[in-house]
Amino acid sequence: MRVFVTGASGWIGSAVSDELLAHGHKVVGLARSDDSAAALEAKGITAHRGSLDDLDSLASAAAAADGVVHLAFKHDFSDYVAAGRSEHAAVQRMLDELAGSDRPFLIASGLASGVVGRPLTEDDASPFHGADSMRGGSENLALSYAERGVRPVALRFAPTVHGARDHGFTSTLTRIAKERGVAGYIGDGSTRWAAVHRSDAARMVWLALEKAPAGSRVHAVAEEGIPSRDIAAALGDYLGLPTAAVAPQDAESHFGWIGRFFGMDIVATSTRTREVLGWTPTGPTLFEDIAAGAYALPE
């Protein structure tokens, strides 16, 4: 299968691209720069020059592919609404190109939801609709095309997709702890984050491309929910720093932009995903990665 992957040089996308190549697929990766294109080509990936704002470029790559794995997103927290609108437009343009073809369209999403008091499951629909909502409502937009001759699949990733050289949420928390001299958590630290190792997430995407039914949601979740105070304690142990509670009203001043996410309870199961895809996570846990130095920071 010839697969067009946006975000192919990113943290998750590079692992997904490697997984697809290892299973005999041809990968075409979106490249915004000459350096990115050269890095993709060096791995045996065909570079397709363009960006998420270049809708014609996205459409042409989707049209030439047997399937699309859309992992890129503008993580601009200074104007998240604008980033969501860009996402909505990009997703709609690619889906319109695939309509009537029965080709797969896999789209990265998250586990944030309106579900309270229990873990999120694959049966729970996203509450976000429309271009001005979180991530441009792109999950629901994509799944709606199951009725228009596309095989859309929502890839819901845990908030921490961890591993060596991760530069995401856990890496940010590590840097803040070192800068502050304390590994903090918000309130009583009872809020939780689901987690998955990068290698397991990549393998799930490959399996979803080959097996997931149209209109389905799959959860890249190995650990359903780790209390934030335990994440802080693991980081503190590794860094040799004390842990401390941060009052909710001080979360943004202490943690910066990530404070709004670290205080969220994001818990999910992956029972249905494991059953449908035959997926079993085998990678290290988040605490194993932290203890092994995956989040070591330069002096």
Side-chain angles (χ1 to χ4, degrees):
M1 188 182 296
R2 179 183 173 92
V3 186
F4 175 48
V5 179
T6 70
S9 58
W11 169 242
I12 298 174
S14 57
V16 168
S17 296
D18 290 344
E19 191 76 19
L20 296 178
L21 290 171
H23 287 90
H25 296 294
K26 297 179 180 178
V27 178
V28 178
L30 183 67
R32 291 181 298 171
S33 67
D34 290 340
D35 288 345
S36 178
L40 293 176
E41 297 281 358
K43 294 176 62 175
I45 298 171
T46 301
H48 179 86
R49 291 300 302 270
S51 71
L52 293 183
D53 293 319
D54 188 345
L55 301 185
D56 289 340
S57 177
L58 294 175
S60 65
D66 299 312
V68 175
V69 179
H70 177 49
L71 303 174
F73 182 76
K74 291 182 178 181
H75 291 284
D76 182 3
F77 296 105
S78 66
D79 194 345
Y80 207 64
V81 172
R85 290 171 182 163
S86 176
E87 169 76 350
H88 187 97
V91 169
Q92 185 157 34
R93 185 61 181 275
M94 288 187 283
L95 285 166
D96 285 343
E97 200 65 40
L98 296 177
S101 70
D102 292 322
R103 284 176 281 175
F105 182 89
L106 279 59
I107 181 168
S109 187
L111 298 173
S113 72
V115 172
V116 177
R118 64 170 176 82
L120 183 75
T121 75
E122 295 90 338
D123 291 330
D124 293 313
S126 167
F128 305 113
H129 297 268
D132 288 344
S133 64
M134 182 176 287
R135 294 185 74 99
S138 58
E139 176 179 310
N140 282 317
L141 173 62
L143 295 183
S144 73
Y145 274 71
E147 300 177 353
R148 297 183 57 185
V150 180
R151 179 163 66 89
V153 179
L155 307 169
R156 289 176 168 175
F157 293 103
T160 178
V161 180
H162 55 86
R165 298 181 302 280
D166 171 20
H167 54 271
F169 282 2
T170 302
S171 178
T172 301
L173 291 174
T174 306
R175 176 183 54 77
I176 292 169
K178 191 169 184 180
E179 291 174 353
R180 295 286 188 178
V182 61
Y185 56 87
I186 300 172
D188 64 1
S190 62
T191 56
R192 299 157 294 172
W193 272 2
V196 67
H197 191 267
R198 178 178 178 240
S199 62
D200 289 324
R203 186 158 41 85
M204 189 207 73
V205 175
W206 159 62
L207 289 169
L209 179 70
E210 300 201 344
K211 298 182 179 182
S216 59
R217 309 173 190 92
V218 293
H219 286 187
V221 170
E223 298 177 88
E224 292 186 7
I226 307 170
S228 56
R229 62 174 173 267
D230 293 346
I231 296 174
L235 292 174
D237 287 346
Y238 178 74
L239 296 170
L241 296 173
T243 58
V246 175
Q249 63 268 26
D250 298 328
E252 190 164 349
S253 62
H254 181 93
F255 292 102
W257 62 267
I258 200 173
R260 74 188 76 164
F261 297 104
F262 198 35
M264 295 173 66
D265 198 44
I266 307 177
V267 187
T269 67
S270 57
T271 303
R272 179 72 60 82
T273 299
R274 298 180 194 221
E275 292 173 350
V276 172
L277 302 183
W279 175 68
T280 301
T282 59
T285 66
L286 175 60
F287 292 163
E288 287 171 343
D289 262 347
I290 291 172
Y295 292 93
L297 296 173
E299 296 296 334

